[in-house]
């Protein structure tokens, strides 16, 4: 089957980062599954499920690091697969998929709101906050604190090479929050002025390590040195179940031309460019993770996620059940 253009546009949008940010790519991916589902023209359940599986694989392969993407897709796929296993027809499978997609989007948006409410309690009046990249969870915490009447200021790193920090600065200043944009390498220079670092996450490993935008680990190191607390806003679906089995989270390397123009590289043929998009911050450099279910230490995130995911307690043919994503 040829996939609909609208589906391919989302796939391309995620690859090219027109659609970006871990939570958003999860939500867009499940929307894309709904588009495919609606376009499948068959009465054969097996054929239907195979097409959904193909679309799921394509979506999962778009970007490798943010685990919210495969987790969102698996959440939907497993619900449909379970319905298929119980012998339902294509119409019912389509209804099941639509419900699962809507449920995931609701869970995700509610989680970001709840993280904001919970995290804001840890922000004090007159705090100066440093944030990195553009995270909806981190922004939710900052905006909630500001709306509670706390007089806060924010330093936002520009986040080279893709400059997501400009999006953050724009969003925060629109809310009326005094925001200063700084180059990434100025973080240690400004750290003595910072009370709290507030960031998001693309994935959280079983040992509590946080995978986020490249540069996060340097910021956490500078914060540790200056005794500044580091808070991570992360929905429980940022947990990477594979890390329980010792697998490493793949760090995406993006094209060199995001760093230097092609002509520059041609003029300097001896130079090579590396462009990793994310890095790993060990749990020792993180104080708390704010989830939609409450605040946990990075080391305890696994216990929370284990319950939410119900991993290993899933049905026999599923090594993990993502069906237990309850808030
Ligand atoms: C975005 C990034 C964000 C996390 C969390 O990277 O690293 O901090 O995805 O975001 P990119 P959110 O721009 O490469 O996608 O809290 O919105 O899920």
């Amino acid at each position: 089957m040829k996939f609909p253009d609208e589906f391919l546009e989302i796939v391309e949008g995620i690859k090219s980062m027109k659609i970006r940010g871990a939570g958003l790519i999860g939500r867009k991916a499940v929307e894309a599954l709904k588009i495919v589902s609606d376009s499948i023209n068959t009465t054969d359940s097996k054929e239907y499920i195979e097409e959904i599986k193909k679309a799921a694989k394509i979506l999962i392969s778009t970007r490798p690091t943010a685990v919210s993407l495969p987790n969102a897709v698996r959440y939907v796929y497993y619900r449909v697969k379970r319905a298929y296993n119980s012998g339902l027809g294509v119409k019912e499978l389509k209804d099941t998929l639509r419900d699962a997609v809507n449920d995931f989007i609701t869970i995700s948006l509610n989680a970001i709101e709840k993280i904001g409410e919970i995290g804001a309690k840890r922000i004090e009046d007159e705090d100066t906050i440093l944030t990195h990249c553009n995270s909806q969870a981190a922004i939710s915490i900052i905006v909630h604190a500001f709306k509670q009447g706390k007089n806060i200021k924010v330093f936002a790193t520009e986040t080279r090479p893709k400059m997501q920090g400009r999006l953050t600065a724009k969003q925060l200043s629109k809310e009326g929050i005094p925001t200063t944009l700084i180059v990434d390498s100025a973080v240690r220079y400004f750290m003595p002025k910072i009370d709290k670092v507030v960031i998001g996450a693309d994935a959280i490993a079983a040992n509590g390590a946080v995978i986020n935008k490249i540069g996060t680990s340097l910021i956490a190191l500078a914060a540790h040195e200056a005794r500044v607390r580091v808070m991570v806003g992360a929905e429980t679906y940022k947990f990477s179940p594979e890390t329980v089995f010792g697998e490493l989270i793949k760090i995406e390397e993006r094209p060199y031309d995001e760093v230097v123009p092609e002509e520059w590289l041609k003029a300097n043929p001896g130079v090579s460019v590396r462009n990793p998009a994310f890095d790993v911050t060990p749990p020792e450099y993180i104080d708390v993770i704010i989830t939609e279910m409450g605040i946990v230490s990075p080391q305890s995130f696994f216990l929370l996620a284990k319950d939410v995911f119900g991993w290993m307690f899933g049905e026999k043919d599923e090594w993990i059940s993502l069906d237990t994503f309850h808030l």
Side-chain angles (χ1 to χ4, degrees):
M1 181 192 117
K2 187 181 168 306
F3 289 117
D5 288 348
E6 234 188 308
F7 167 81
L8 297 173
E9 271 163 31
I10 294 180
V11 168
E12 199 37 52
I14 296 175
K15 275 189 192 158
S16 66
M17 290 179 63
K18 269 193 220 96
I19 301 167
R20 47 145 301 282
L24 183 65
I25 62 178
R27 292 192 297 278
K28 280 287 176 192
V30 295
E31 267 177 35
L33 280 182
K34 188 156 82 175
I35 293 165
V36 168
S37 167
D38 289 344
S39 75
I40 298 174
N41 196 7
T42 180
T43 49
D44 180 349
S45 301
K46 189 167 188 313
E47 202 182 313
Y48 172 85
I49 201 90
E50 284 306 318
E51 288 304 317
I52 293 296
K53 201 170 172 179
K54 269 191 230 157
K57 277 190 180 162
I58 294 172
L59 287 162
I60 289 174
S61 68
T62 50
R63 287 193 81 187
T65 304
V67 76
S68 43
L69 171 64
N71 282 351
V73 169
R74 284 189 289 200
Y75 173 79
V76 171
Y77 178 72
Y78 280 128
R79 276 215 358 213
V80 178
K81 183 78 190 311
R82 195 164 301 132
Y84 168 77
N85 289 348
S86 69
L88 295 180
V90 172
K91 190 191 167 308
E92 289 79 11
L93 295 183
K94 285 187 175 184
D95 290 346
T96 305
L97 186 136
R98 196 170 308 121
D99 289 347
V101 167
N102 292 340
D103 286 351
F104 181 81
I105 293 173
T106 305
I107 285 169
S108 172
L109 294 175
N110 286 346
I112 294 165
E113 187 62 21
K114 200 83 195 144
I115 287 168
E117 279 169 30
I118 297 171
K121 293 188 190 142
R122 292 285 175 107
I123 307 288
E124 283 156 78
D125 196 25
E126 302 298 331
D127 268 355
T128 300
I129 294 162
L130 175 82
T131 190
H132 184 51
C133 196
N134 180 252
S135 153
Q136 291 191 327
I139 289 176
S140 181
I141 294 171
I142 296 168
V143 170
H144 271 83
F146 183 72
K147 288 192 172 158
Q148 287 170 357
K150 289 170 185 161
N151 187 22
I152 54 173
K153 284 200 279 297
V154 176
F155 279 75
T157 56
E158 62 179 355
T159 317
R160 263 192 60 81
K162 296 286 282 181
M163 306 294 189
Q164 293 94 325
R166 290 184 192 170
L167 297 172
T168 301
K170 195 171 156 183
Q171 271 173 272
L172 295 177
S173 65
K174 261 199 181 150
E175 295 286 345
I177 303 172
T179 306
T180 308
L181 190 67
I182 60 171
V183 297
D184 300 330
S185 42
V187 162
R188 190 161 176 255
Y189 176 83
F190 284 112
M191 196 53 85
K193 293 190 189 306
I194 304 298
D195 298 296
K196 270 151 208 142
V197 171
V198 179
I199 48 164
D202 285 87
I204 300 192
N207 68 349
V210 170
I211 290 79
N212 191 46
K213 181 51 57 195
I214 191 78
T216 300
S217 66
L218 262 178
I219 295 173
L221 196 61
H224 188 73
E225 178 198 38
R227 306 265 185 278
V228 171
R229 285 175 76 75
V230 176
M231 293 168 52
V232 176
E235 308 88 306
T236 43
Y237 58 75
K238 300 280 179 71
F239 177 66
S240 164
E242 281 78 12
T243 58
V244 174
F245 307 106
E247 277 185 41
L248 297 176
I249 291 166
K250 191 171 181 312
I251 301 292
E252 175 182 13
E253 279 241 15
R254 298 207 41 98
Y256 63 82
D257 59 5
E258 289 182 354
V259 180
V260 286
E262 173 107 45
E263 311 79 67
W264 188 92
L265 210 58
K266 275 197 184 129
N268 297 278
V271 179
S272 61
V273 174
R274 296 282 307 269
N275 184 18
F278 302 97
D279 66 17
V280 183
T281 302
E284 304 82 75
Y285 296 95
I286 292 149
D287 291 283
V288 287
I289 301 182
I290 318 283
T291 79
E292 72 277 15
M293 301 183 79
I295 301 179
V296 288
S297 68
Q299 292 83 357
S300 323
F301 186 83
F302 167 66
L303 296 170
L304 192 67
K306 176 172 160 283
D307 275 357
V308 176
F309 277 57
W311 74 273
M312 283 172 54
F313 306 112
E315 289 176 21
K316 255 212 320 298
D317 62 336
E318 298 164 3
W319 67 276
I320 178 166
S321 164
L322 299 177
D323 207 17
T324 40
F325 262 163
H326 295 306
L327 294 181

